[in-house]
Each structure stands twice: as C-alpha cells, then as structure tokens.
Amino acid sequence: MNTPDRDYTGKALAIARGLYPHQVEGVAFLMRRRRAILADDMGLGKTRQAIVAVTHDTTQGPYLVVCPASVKRNWGREIELVCQNPEILSVGPGDPPEPEWTGWVIINYDLLKRHREVLTALSWQGIIFDEAHYLKNHTSQRSRAGRSLVEECPGDPVVYCLTGTPMMNRPRDLFVLLQVVGHSMGRSFIAYAKRYCDAFQNEYGWVTDGASNLKELAIELQGVLLRRAKEDVLDLPPKQRTWLDVDVPSSTAQKETEEALAILLQGQRRERESLSLETPSGRDRGRLIAKLATVRRKLAEAKVSTTSEYVQNVLDQGEKILVFSCFDAPLRKIHERFEDCSVILTGATPVDSRQALVDRFQEDEGTRVFVANIIAGGVGLNLTAASQIVFNDLDWVPANHWQAEDRAYRIGQQSRVQAAYMIAAGTIDEFVRMVLQTKAALVSAVIDGEGLDKDIGGDVLTELQSLMRNLSPQLSDEISEGLTAERIRALLENARSIY
C-alpha cells in the first residue's frame, strides 16, 4: 500500500537537521516517488535535498552523482556536510570504482561514455543527475549514456534528476528527463512531440522545436516534477534585471553581419525556388553560425570599455560584482583592468582550482570582482558575496544567463541583486534581447501551466532564419549591392518589431 505524502513529510522532518521548510517538502517528494525531477529555482538547495533523500531512502550505497566538472568539488563538500565520514571517489582524475565499492562516486558527464562498462556493472542504490538539462538532446551520446546507465545497472536504483532549468528553450528538452525517471510520457518521442512540441513534418523530417498544450503538460508533470520559485519559499530580497544600451562604432562587425544576412537571404531564396535539397542544418548553417560567432565576439570586445566603467562604479560604491562573458578575450581584458582585486575563471581553469577562486571571492574582502566565462562559471557555484552582476555580452540560450544570475541570487543572499545586460545599440544584440525575453516567458508557461500570447519556436538562430521569410524579397538586391550600417540597423529593427 502506498504511504501517504504526510507520512513522508514526517520522515523528512525527523531527518531535517536544519533544512528550510521547502527543503523538507522536497525531501519528502523525492522519498515518496523514488524516481523524480526536482526542478527548484537555482539556489534553493537541490543538492542537499537529494543527498538527504537518497541516503535515508537507501541506507547503504553505492551512490552515483553525475554532474558538470565544475561542481564536482562542491558535491563532495555537500556530501561531507550531510553524511558522517563518507567515502567519496571523484572519477577524473581518479580511476573508476572497483566492483566492491559502497561509497559515493562523483563523475562528470563527459566521462560517462568512457567508463560506461564499469559503471553499469555496479549495483547502484541511488543515481543523481545534477544539472540534468545537460542530457536534453535525446539523440546525443551523453543522453544515451545517461539512459543506458539507469536501464542497465543491476537492481532498481533511486533516480533523481536535478535542474533549475528543466526545459532550456523548448518542451522537447524535457523528454529525456522523463525517459530517465521512467515516466510514461517518455516512451515515444514522436507522440510526445506531436502533443507538446507542435510537431510537424516537412521534406527534411520532423520539426519539434515548438510548444503546444502547455497547460496539459504542466498538469502531467505534477506527479513527477517539483518546482518552487525563490519568491514563493524564501524571504530573499528582490532581483532586478536591466538592459543597458551601449554605443559601439557603427562599423563594428558590419562586414560579418552583412555576410550573415546574405547567407540567410540566399538560403531563403533557394528554399522558395526549390533549387537545393540541402537542409537548413547543412553547409549554409555552418557558415552562418561561424559568421554570427564572429559578430558576437567583435561586439563583445567593443563593449569591454563600457563594462569596465560599470564595474568601477560598483567598486566605488563598496560592492562586489560578478562579470560574465561568452568569450575569453573580453574576460582577460577586464581581469587585467582589475587585476589587484579580481579573480578569473574560464573553461581553461583547472577544475581542482575553481573552488579556491570561489572561496577567495567569498571570504577575502579585497577580492571584489569575479570574472567568469558564462558556461564555466555560471553553473553550481555559490557567489553570494556579490549583489551586482553584469553580462558583457549575450548568450543565445536564456538558461545560461539565469544560471549565471543565480550564482548570487540564492540562499545566503542578503541584498537586492542587480543584473545588468550590455546591449550594443543598433546591432543584432537588440534582436537577441527580444528573443531571450520571450524564451523566458515560454519556460514559465511550461512549468507553471500559463498560456502564451503567441507561438514561440526554437533558439535565436532559428528565430532569425524564420523571420527572414517575412522580410522583403527586395533585400536580396540590397545585399548584392552592399548594406550600409544604417540599413543593417533598420533591418534588425524590422526583424525585432515583427518578432
């Protein structure tokens, strides 16, 4: 007979040991279901909830944690805080566990495939996927490795998926999480996509980057997914997001922007004239991505001076600040400007050195600027010593920004958090800003069951491609003659207004 939820809440209270009330509720939810998705806002303590739940649901290991490399050390710390004298093995640089291992194993996603045979042979009592949206592409090797681990290991392990960003940009990204926890909606991707991703077939195959029946999806998720927002469960000070226009030279990345628009328009013309059977993800898309990456990099570098001035103003007010960029060159320039009072974390920073940088920023009053790559430094770190955040440039995945913001906006924060975004006026930044804001509305709708005022499709690049179908065919002639900076500005403004 199933035990009522209140009985599990009582058990969770008995083992709470200082947990917040929402964490007690989360522990009860996990213990009740054994396989579940904990999708609390970033900063609400999902790690602690999962450790408490898994160790009291199964009193003896082994337990496996799969997470990004950047948070492996933090997982070790949290396990030590919850468990008495735990045995912890971190794979990479350490070797995978021996068959008789009964303690904790922490491994990053990139090593799953390499050690698949060893890992699937152990009788795991509990498996935790942290930042589980790393599995979002259900056809990727990483996703297949995660699913096979759950399906092939002996016994019936507890399985938790933890993510503060349970769907990234699209409902289809939830599908693999539902597969991992064994939900019935995870049985057929096409059936799921038809119902919730507004899927349709074209000459290239299934298009599944849409969204449909979101209220129904939210209801279906209630039995397997628990999500709480910070403002609902904590008395945190508010977070404010602002968008600051930055003037950059009109010639900045003009040539590359023109070339990117030309590729877009040429692709649309061939599609209309049916002269090519190449898919949008083929050679043209590769060229387009490369051109747009150059545009983004040059805009990022052009904004460094303004971002540095913003940082200096924050320091003059006596506050600490986090500085994020998608590119290492701007980060190095900003770090050099504030070298005496800053630390820098990029993808090249050794994993074993990262926690020391965090500790220095958190504890040393003289270290006031944390400069970080938005991917390497935007996940799993506790940086509540800062109440100010600035994004020098824009990532095209909104979840990466939310994750980075929540390095400061989490348990332990005592001040209002201010997140500033630098927008290069009259450039593609303005269009990206509009898409990111709209994607935020979609994530809220999927999790909370809210309705949307309009259809919302894929990522920034997909949106830009689709909008070209709505712009004047005469642009093809203008592209061939060369676009002025003013015309590029007008074109992007037109795209933004249409969107």
Side-chain angles (χ1 to χ4, degrees), residues 125-433:
Q125 298 302 299
I127 301 175
I128 301 171
F129 293 95
D130 189 24
E131 306 293 351
H133 50 270
Y134 273 53
L135 300 171
K136 65 173 185 169
N137 183 348
H138 75 284
T139 62
S140 69
Q141 290 186 351
R142 176 187 290 172
S143 178
R144 288 197 295 268
R147 296 199 308 271
S148 66
L149 175 63
V150 173
E151 294 166 359
E152 297 176 18
C153 71
D156 181 28
V158 170
V159 180
Y160 302 147
C161 290
L162 314 182
T163 174
T165 312
M167 65 153 283
M168 300 295 276
N169 289 338
R170 291 158 290 199
R172 76 179 186 191
D173 296 333
L174 271 171
F175 179 76
V176 69
L177 274 63
L178 296 171
Q179 283 186 308
V180 169
V181 299
H183 194 279
S184 59
M185 287 194 298
R187 293 173 184 167
S188 168
F189 177 67
I190 294 302
Y192 175 88
K194 287 180 178 179
R195 188 67 185 164
Y196 302 115
C197 305
D198 196 23
F200 62 91
Q201 272 188 299
N202 62 18
E203 57 185 307
Y204 307 120
W206 283 97
V207 178
T208 61
D209 55 6
S212 53
N213 299 306
L214 296 183
K215 289 186 178 181
E216 176 186 312
L217 176 58
I219 293 171
E220 291 288 345
L221 291 173
Q222 289 177 1
V224 69
L225 183 149
L226 177 65
R227 178 172 176 82
R228 281 79 57 86
K230 290 190 185 76
E231 57 267 24
D232 295 333
V233 297
L234 290 180
D235 187 22
L236 281 177
K239 177 175 66 174
Q240 183 177 356
R241 184 180 293 132
T242 58
W243 306 82
L244 304 177
D245 287 337
V246 177
D247 290 325
V248 299
S250 60
S251 60
T252 304
Q254 178 180 339
K255 179 176 179 292
E256 291 81 2
T257 301
E258 180 179 337
E259 291 171 345
L261 293 175
I263 295 170
L264 277 167
L265 290 169
Q266 289 164 5
Q268 298 305 325
R269 186 172 65 247
R270 283 203 302 272
E271 183 178 313
R272 289 195 304 271
E273 298 172 356
S274 300
L275 295 179
S276 172
L277 294 180
E278 274 193 63
T279 70
S281 59
R283 183 172 56 87
D284 281 352
R285 186 177 175 92
R287 291 170 55 219
L288 179 60
I289 291 172
K291 291 296 181 185
L292 290 175
T294 302
V295 172
R296 294 173 60 212
R297 176 179 56 79
K298 289 190 174 183
L299 290 175
E301 293 173 354
K303 290 184 284 186
V304 165
S305 176
T306 303
T307 299
S308 296
E309 291 177 9
Y310 185 92
V311 172
Q312 186 60 59
N313 289 336
V314 170
L315 297 183
D316 291 344
Q317 297 171 20
E319 299 183 66
K320 292 192 174 188
I321 186 169
L322 312 180
V323 184
F324 290 103
S325 173
C326 303
F327 303 94
D328 287 356
L331 294 175
R332 286 194 295 268
K333 290 180 180 178
I334 294 169
H335 176 54
E336 290 169 2
R337 166 82 180 269
F338 301 99
E339 187 170 6
D340 293 341
C341 64
S342 71
V343 293
I344 183 170
L345 191 159
T346 70
T349 305
V351 173
D352 290 344
S353 303
R354 297 182 182 187
Q355 190 60 48
L357 297 177
V358 172
D359 293 343
R360 179 179 165 189
F361 180 76
Q362 288 286 94
E363 301 167 5
D364 179 13
E365 186 61 28
T367 304
R368 310 192 65 78
V369 184
F370 194 95
V371 184
N373 176 277
I374 193 170
I375 301 299
V379 177
L381 305 181
N382 185 348
L383 299 168
T384 52
S387 57
Q388 296 282 346
I389 306 165
V390 61
F391 292 93
N392 179 75
D393 42 89
L394 301 180
D395 194 286
W396 284 17
V397 177
N400 292 340
H401 286 293
W402 305 329
Q403 295 242 36
E405 286 179 352
D406 285 348
R407 297 314 94 215
Y409 190 62
R410 58 197 302 111
I411 291 173
Q413 182 57 258
Q414 302 297 318
S415 304
R416 174 191 291 269
V417 171
Q418 171 75 43
Y421 288 72
M422 297 297 176
I423 309 298
T427 73
I428 201 168
D429 268 7
E430 293 189 342
F431 179 75
V432 176
R433 167 189 172 179

Side-chain angles (χ1 to χ4, degrees), residues 6-67:
R6 62 178 178 271
D7 291 352
Y8 280 96
T9 302
K11 291 181 180 180
L13 281 169
I15 59 176
R17 294 205 299 269
L19 296 184
Y20 287 88
H22 76 272
Q23 293 176 317
V24 174
E25 179 188 3
V27 169
F29 177 86
L30 295 174
M31 292 173 63
R32 172 74 176 84
R33 285 151 183 86
R34 286 184 58 84
R35 295 198 174 190
I37 303 168
L38 184 59
D40 286 346
D41 265 358
M42 291 163 281
L44 289 183
K46 294 185 291 296
T47 301
R48 184 72 59 89
Q49 294 174 65
I51 295 171
V52 171
V54 76
T55 53
H56 286 82
D57 197 17
T58 57
T59 56
Q60 183 175 349
Y63 309 110
L64 177 66
V65 175
V66 185
C67 62

